[in-house]
């Protein structure tokens, strides 16, 4: 547990000075509250003796000071601690995103989409409680408890022993009880939230198919089951919270009674002024304000750490694709691209996807890579983009192994237009500028014209600012594919990778799209990955893989 806390705190990179300031303000806020109750008790007890009013001036001023200082210290503590927690949360998010970016796309496939979103949103959000409820309360409670015990010992040592025992039981024993009662719920809640999110995402994405095949009830039953499990865990957690809160109230009451009994006995023995009896009792009762947050913190700590472990599972993964320690300089365009005796397999796959494949794309050449589904055509694009490294052989750009180059330089060589290319829920303009953020409107219109979308976009009321809907839902299949192609054409990359660009089109539109793209390539090299015949007569060479892997024919 302590190891996980250290790793999470290192991930948050909390500034030590701000942490010390926050804990100090928290201790002052609680300490002022305890002092206010004890001083008010002393003032009331002394006033009951009807002394001259001026003799009470010091106590009256002290009560007023503490009454004003307590909310001010609490306000400053909340300001500093929440600022610290939110800044830590921002650092964690930035660090997590930075560390998982090298894992995309291949090494994140092991996670369901909904579960991955839950890790990146709900689990990271849960970590803001690590400091607010996991680190600060015990330190604040320890500082205040020690101060109260020392103050009591200066007045009546026997009462200090009883108070110390009660605070130890309330500040350690009750939190341990709370953690024990809520440990199962805490361990399961983060995973249960992830499971529910995954089921909901799958239900929403697959809703048309589920309705079409009459399986919506089965999918809804899975969502309900996941929801029931999460509710059951929440109820168990609430029960543990209630028991812990009741136990703390009981311990506080018994401790106060014990201190009061000792004080009364000391007064009867003539060793304690009567006005201090109520003061010590009120001091004992109010000192448990320091222990109040601890059972909740202990109960939530397990669920927070479980969420933290799920985040650490992502951040501590080592990407298999890394930049070399001393990368070579990127080759200058135009460049030849080649796969030389490449054998490749995905992690966990029992057999290679490609074996001993040779493929060469000279500058300005147009090569079609054909083969049945599952033959490894998309794996070729993954190898070229260095989303995957070969098991044997090598992939080269300008004669240099990709593993000797920076990933950024490798990917700058290619512009990808794939069948599953993502269209963002934004405007046509912003979707195009993904390829070149600094592109002018004239350059955007030129790319659209070359992809045969210019006239259609010009006819729209909002033109380039037209929203395309979620994942391009407002576009037809052909318009969506042409928008993806226009984005690739806008790029300055010397090599165009067209991965099944006609997958969702009929034969006539597919033929037209391939012809338009090849015509608009402007002398760039083109690798057309397809399992369809459209456009094969327009390329310079056809390479077939799969059943006839490695065979070649001239176009």
């Amino acid at each position: 547990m302590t190891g996980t806390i250290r790793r999470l705190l290192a991930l948050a990179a909390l500034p030590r000075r701000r942490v010390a300031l926050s804990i100090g303000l928290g201790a002052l806020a609680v300490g002022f509250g305890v002092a206010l109750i004890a001083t008010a008790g002393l003032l009331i007890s002394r006033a009951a003796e009807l002394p001259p009013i001026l003799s009470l001036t010091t106590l009256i001023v002290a009560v007023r000071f503490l009454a004003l200082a307590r909310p001010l210290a609490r306000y400053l503590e909340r300001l500093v601690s929440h600022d610290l927690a939110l800044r830590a949360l921002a650092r964690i998010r930035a660090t997590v995103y930075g560390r998982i970016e090298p894992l995309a796309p291949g090494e994140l496939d092991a996670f369901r989409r909904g579960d991955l979103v839950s890790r990146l949103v709900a689990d990271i959000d849960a970590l803001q409680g690590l400091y607010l409820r996991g680190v600060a309360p015990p330190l604040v409670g320890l500082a205040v408890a020690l101060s109260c015990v020392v103050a009591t010992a200066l007045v009546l040592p026997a009462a200090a022993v009883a108070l110390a025992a009660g605070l130890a039981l309330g500040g350690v024993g009750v939190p341990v009880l709370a953690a024990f009662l809520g440990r199962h719920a805490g361990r399961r809640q983060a995973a249960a939230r992830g499971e529910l999110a995954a089921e909901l995402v799958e239900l929403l994405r697959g809703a048309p198919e589920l309705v079409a095949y009459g399986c919506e009830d089965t999918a809804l039953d899975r969502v309900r089951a996941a929801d029931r499990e999460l509710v059951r865990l929440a109820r168990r957690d609430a029960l543990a919270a209630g028991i812990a809160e009741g136990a703390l109230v009981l311990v506080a009451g018994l401790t106060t009674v014990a201190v009061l009994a000792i004080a009364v006995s000391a007064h009867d023995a003539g060793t304690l002024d009567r006005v201090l009896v109520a003061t010590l009792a009120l001091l004992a009762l109010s000192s448990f304000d320091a222990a109040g947050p601890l059972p909740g913190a202990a109960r939530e700590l397990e669920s927070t750490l479980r969420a933290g472990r799920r985040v650490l599972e992502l951040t501590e993964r080592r990407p298999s694709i890394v930049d070399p320690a001393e990368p070579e300089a990127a080759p200058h365009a135009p460049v030849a691209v080649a796969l030389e005796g490449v054998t490749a397999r995905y992690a966990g796959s029992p057999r290679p996807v490609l074996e001993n494949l040779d493929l060469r794309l000279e500058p300005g050449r147009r090569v079609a890579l054909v083969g049945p589904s599952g033959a490894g055509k998309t794996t070729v694009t993954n190898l070229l983009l260095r989303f995957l490294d070969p098991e044997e052989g090598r992939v080269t750009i300008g004669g240099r192994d990709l593993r000797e180059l920076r990933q950024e330089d490798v990917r700058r060589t290619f512009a990808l237009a794939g069948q599953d290319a993502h269209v963002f829920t934004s405007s046509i303009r912003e979707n195009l500028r993904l390829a070149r953020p600094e592109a002018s409107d004239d350059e955007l219109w030129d790319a659209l014209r070359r992809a045969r979308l210019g006239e259609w976009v010009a006819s729209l009321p909002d033109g380039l600012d037209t929203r395309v809907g979620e994942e391009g839902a407002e576009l037809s299949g052909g318009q969506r594919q042409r928008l993806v192609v226009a984005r690739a054409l806008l790029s300055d990359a010397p090599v165009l990778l067209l991965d099944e660009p006609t997958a969702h089109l009929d034969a006539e539109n597919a033929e037209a799209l391939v012809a338009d793209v090849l015509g608009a390539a402007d002398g760039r090299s083109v690798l057309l990955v397809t399992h369809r015949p459209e456009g094969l007569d327009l390329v310079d060479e056809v390479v077939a893989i799969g059943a006839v892997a490695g065979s070649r024919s001239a176009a």
Side-chain angles (χ1 to χ4, degrees), residues 8 36 184 198 237 263 267 292 323 329 336 346 372 488 491 509 540:
L8 290 173
L36 175 62
H184 175 71
D237 188 54
H267 170 64
D323 286 336
Y346 293 100
S491 168
N509 284 320
D540 302 314

Side-chain angles (χ1 to χ4, degrees), residues 268-321:
D268 291 342
T271 59
L272 183 68
D273 191 335
R274 61 183 179 179
V275 299
L276 294 177
V277 174
T279 302
L280 289 176
L282 291 173
L283 175 64
L285 181 62
S286 59
S287 66
F288 277 86
D289 288 347
L294 298 184
R299 194 185 71 256
E300 293 178 17
L301 184 61
E302 182 61 39
S303 59
T304 300
L305 293 182
R306 179 62 59 175
R309 291 186 189 103
R310 284 162 51 83
V311 173
L312 290 172
E313 186 181 354
L314 283 177
T315 61
E316 294 181 352
R317 283 190 169 223
R318 294 289 178 263
S320 58
I321 308 297

